[in-house]
């Protein structure tokens, strides 16, 4: 056994997501252990393996760490009043993105980074070990670069979402703004972001504008993702499949043609049920999408406007209760599904060679994640989210790694607590 190996032992029910290792599509092994060395699973077997370090699961269920493939963690400010007004009947239209943009622009880099760290810690406690983080509340060249830099400091899955909303200073000049996104902004984030994304929706950007962003992103070497079909029927899903996006996210309003496109393409349908919950939208027809054979992911969409939660357990419960996904389908959607949405094969599984990221539940089976909604069942999360700070580049952080404070539109080193 490797010298510094860790064994999670005495597992009542282990979800491996490898059908070759165990029962059903989740590859469930009973009375198991999993051995992890250097952050990688090196063995799965019957309980009782010996290693330097041992965690006794006490008969509980262990699953792969959750892969949250859609978040907007780089933001400042609070929109609880908007939420409260919505509960009084005011519809969600995405316009509040400008409110968060104003607050984010006005916040120092050090403070923004601290806020992201707090949200990441919360997500990790809730079982997430791999996370995608978008920009999209900067909407100027410098502010978008800064947001991407902060995202990249914490995850390899950093997404440039300059085409999130038309900022007020570009009112009536959407094509000029799209040109800025496709040129100056993209050029500055191309070495930092892994993905480019756009919000294809009435009130945000149309199909031609989003196609321009995706084409420019592809030319700059970025992977593609798209927000689509959140607030009504529209061209988002078809555009995403046509452009070969890794994922199209929301998919709340789908036509038969959209479902056929998802079933026939390589694009993952990512559902964000906490958003439909928080915006009082209908839930997507996940059953039809799954039955058509498309790959499905579930993600938190953590953001201050439409879905202020990091809880993947909550998303699982909603998907099962409201979207008629089976519990096994929901578990797959937050592990292998999230991994597929990020075009990753190394995470979302607990089989030899995969990342050693695991969640120990305070429950004997994964069914409890839907059966006991709202109960904090995550006993322990093992492995990254963000265990190491990645090198920072670009405008947002100084070369010395010191956060910059924004004063009169210029950055200077942060002084004292922010
Ligand atoms: O995915 N749809 C666009 N972006 C976010 C909402 C952002 C906000 O309201 O601040 C979403 O729901």
């Amino acid at each position: 056994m490797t010298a510094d190996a860790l064994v999670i032992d005495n597992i009542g029910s282990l979800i491996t997501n490898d059908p070759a290792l165990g029962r059903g599509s989740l590859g469930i092994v009973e009375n198991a252990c999993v051995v992890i060395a250097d952050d990688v699973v090196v063995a799965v077997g019957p309980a009782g393996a010996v290693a330097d370090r041992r965690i006794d699961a006490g008969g509980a269920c262990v699953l792969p760490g959750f892969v949250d493939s859609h978040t907007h963690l780089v933001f400042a400010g609070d929109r609880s009043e908007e939420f409260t007004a919505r509960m009084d009947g005011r519809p969600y239209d995405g316009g509040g993105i400008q409110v968060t943009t104003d607050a984010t622009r006005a916040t120092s880099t050090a403070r923004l980074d601290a806020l992201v760290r707090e949200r990441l810690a919360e997500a990790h406690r809730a079982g997430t070990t791999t996370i995608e983080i978008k920009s999209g509340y900067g909407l100027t060249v410098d502010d978008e670069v800064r947001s991407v830099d902060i995202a990249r400091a914490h995850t390899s899955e950093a997404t440039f979402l300059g085409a999130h909303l038309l900022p007020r200073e570009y009112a009536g000049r959407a094509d000029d703004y799209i040109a800025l996104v496709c040129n100056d902004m993209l050029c500055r984030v191309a070495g930092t972001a892994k993905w480019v994304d756009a919000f294809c929706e009435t009130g945000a950007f149309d199909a031609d504008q989003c196609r321009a962003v995706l084409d420019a992103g592809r030319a700059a070497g970025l992977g593609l993702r798209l927000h689509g079909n959140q607030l009504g029927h529209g061209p988002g899903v078809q555009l995403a499949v046509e452009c070969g996006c890794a994922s199209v996210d929301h998919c709340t309003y789908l036509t038969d043609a959209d479902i056929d496109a998802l079933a026939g393409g390589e694009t993952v349908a990512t559902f964000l049920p906490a958003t439909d919950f928080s915006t009082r939208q209908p839930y997507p027809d996940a059953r039809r999408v799954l039955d058509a054979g498309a790959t499905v992911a579930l993600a938190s969409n953590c953001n201050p406007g439409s879905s202020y939660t990091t809880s993947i357990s909550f998303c699982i419960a909603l998907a099962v209760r409201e979207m008629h996904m089976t519990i096994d389908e929901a578990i797959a959607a937050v592990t292998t599904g999230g991994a597929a949405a990020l075009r990753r094969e190394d995470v979302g599984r607990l089989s030899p060679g995969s990342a050693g990221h695991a969640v120990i539940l305070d429950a004997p089976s994964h069914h409890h994640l839907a059966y006991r909604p709202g109960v904090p069942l995550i006993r322990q999360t093992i492995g990254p989210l963000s265990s190491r700070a990645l090198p920072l580049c670009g405008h947002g952080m100084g070369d010395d790694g010191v956060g910059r404070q924004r004063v009169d539109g210029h950055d200077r080193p942060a002084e004292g607590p922010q």
Side-chain angles (χ1 to χ4, degrees):
M1 200 60 60
T2 312
D4 60 354
L6 164 72
V7 60
I8 309 172
D9 201 8
N10 198 14
I11 300 170
S13 173
L14 172 67
I15 311 291
T16 65
N17 277 334
D18 183 348
L21 291 179
R23 187 165 45 81
S25 58
L26 296 183
I28 301 173
V29 188
E30 269 98 27
N31 302 318
C33 78
V34 55
V35 184
I36 298 166
D38 291 333
D39 213 27
V40 172
V41 175
V42 292
V44 169
V50 175
D52 275 352
R53 290 178 297 137
R54 179 175 183 270
I55 295 175
D56 186 345
C61 175
V62 171
L63 10 107
F66 302 139
V67 180
D68 190 347
S69 60
H70 184 135
T71 80
H72 303 251
L73 296 191
V74 189
F75 69 85
D78 176 283
R79 282 162 57 198
S80 52
E81 281 181 17
E82 176 190 316
F83 176 80
T84 306
R86 195 151 63 238
M87 296 303 104
D88 270 346
R90 194 172 126 191
Y92 176 83
D93 65 1
I97 294 169
Q98 181 71 57
V99 174
T100 301
T101 298
D102 292 341
T104 304
R105 287 176 180 175
T107 298
S108 75
T109 302
R111 177 66 188 141
L112 263 185
D113 186 62
L115 289 168
V116 172
R117 283 174 196 269
E118 285 168 19
R119 292 166 192 144
L120 287 170
E122 181 182 284
H124 195 254
R125 283 196 300 276
T128 295
T129 51
T130 301
I131 201 160
E132 181 263 13
I133 305 177
K134 300 177 198 299
S135 69
Y137 293 117
L139 311 185
T140 66
V141 176
D142 284 352
D143 287 294
E144 281 298 304
V145 170
R146 180 169 81 129
S147 294
V148 170
D149 279 352
I150 293 172
R152 180 68 181 98
H154 299 290
T155 182
S156 58
E157 307 295 342
T159 298
F160 166 52
L161 179 58
H164 196 191
L165 186 82
L166 186 66
R168 72 162 73 75
E169 60 273 20
Y170 275 84
R173 295 187 295 132
D175 289 341
D176 291 347
Y177 183 68
I178 288 296
L180 182 76
V181 169
C182 294
N183 294 290
D184 295 15
M185 279 190 195
L186 198 50
C187 183
R188 294 272 304 278
V189 301
T192 315
K194 175 175 173 184
W195 303 100
V196 66
D197 195 346
F199 186 13
C200 186
E201 197 76 50
T202 305
F205 298 102
D206 67 23
D208 288 343
Q209 292 161 339
C210 291
R211 186 192 301 277
V213 172
L214 295 175
D215 286 347
R218 184 193 294 108
L222 275 64
L224 312 183
R225 1 190 23 87
L226 194 68
H227 286 62
N229 303 55
Q230 174 182 3
L231 303 174
H233 292 290
V237 167
Q238 309 263 356
L239 177 66
V241 174
E242 192 187 316
C243 291
C245 288
S247 179
V248 56
D249 299 39
H250 285 287
C251 299
T252 301
Y253 293 88
L254 297 175
T255 61
D256 290 349
D258 294 333
I259 293 174
D260 289 346
L262 289 166
E266 300 295 313
T267 302
V268 173
T270 299
F271 297 125
L272 310 169
T275 312
D276 305 305
F277 174 88
S278 293
T279 57
R280 287 231 165 104
Q281 294 278 311
Y283 290 93
D285 194 345
R287 203 53 278 140
R288 286 180 63 216
V289 177
L290 282 158
D291 291 346
T295 304
V296 161
L298 286 166
S300 73
N301 189 21
C302 182
N303 77 77
S306 67
S307 183
Y308 200 0
T309 181
T310 51
S311 175
I312 291 292
S313 301
F314 179 54
C315 299
I316 292 170
L318 288 177
V320 171
R321 171 65 180 80
E322 303 292 339
M323 291 159 57
H324 303 277
M325 289 173 69
T326 68
I327 297 173
D328 286 13
E329 285 168 343
I331 297 296
V334 300
T335 52
T336 50
L342 297 174
R343 300 244 158 112
R344 298 270 299 265
E345 297 210 332
D346 58 323
V347 293
R349 295 167 175 78
L350 284 173
S351 56
S354 65
H357 306 166
V359 170
I360 305 178
L361 296 185
D362 259 328
S365 92
H366 59 291
H367 292 223
H368 283 232
L369 287 168
Y371 171 47
R372 306 195 67 210
V375 178
L377 292 180
I378 310 298
R379 183 193 301 169
Q380 190 174 350
T381 308
I382 294 161
L385 227 152
S386 173
S387 62
R388 51 195 169 257
L390 301 164
L392 295 166
C393 42
H395 160 280
M397 295 283 196
D399 293 334
D400 52 4
V402 173
R404 260 41 184 174
Q405 188 171 33
R406 310 212 94 205
V407 178
D408 299 333
H410 301 288
D411 283 346
R412 60 173 63 159
E415 294 161 5
Q418 300 295 297

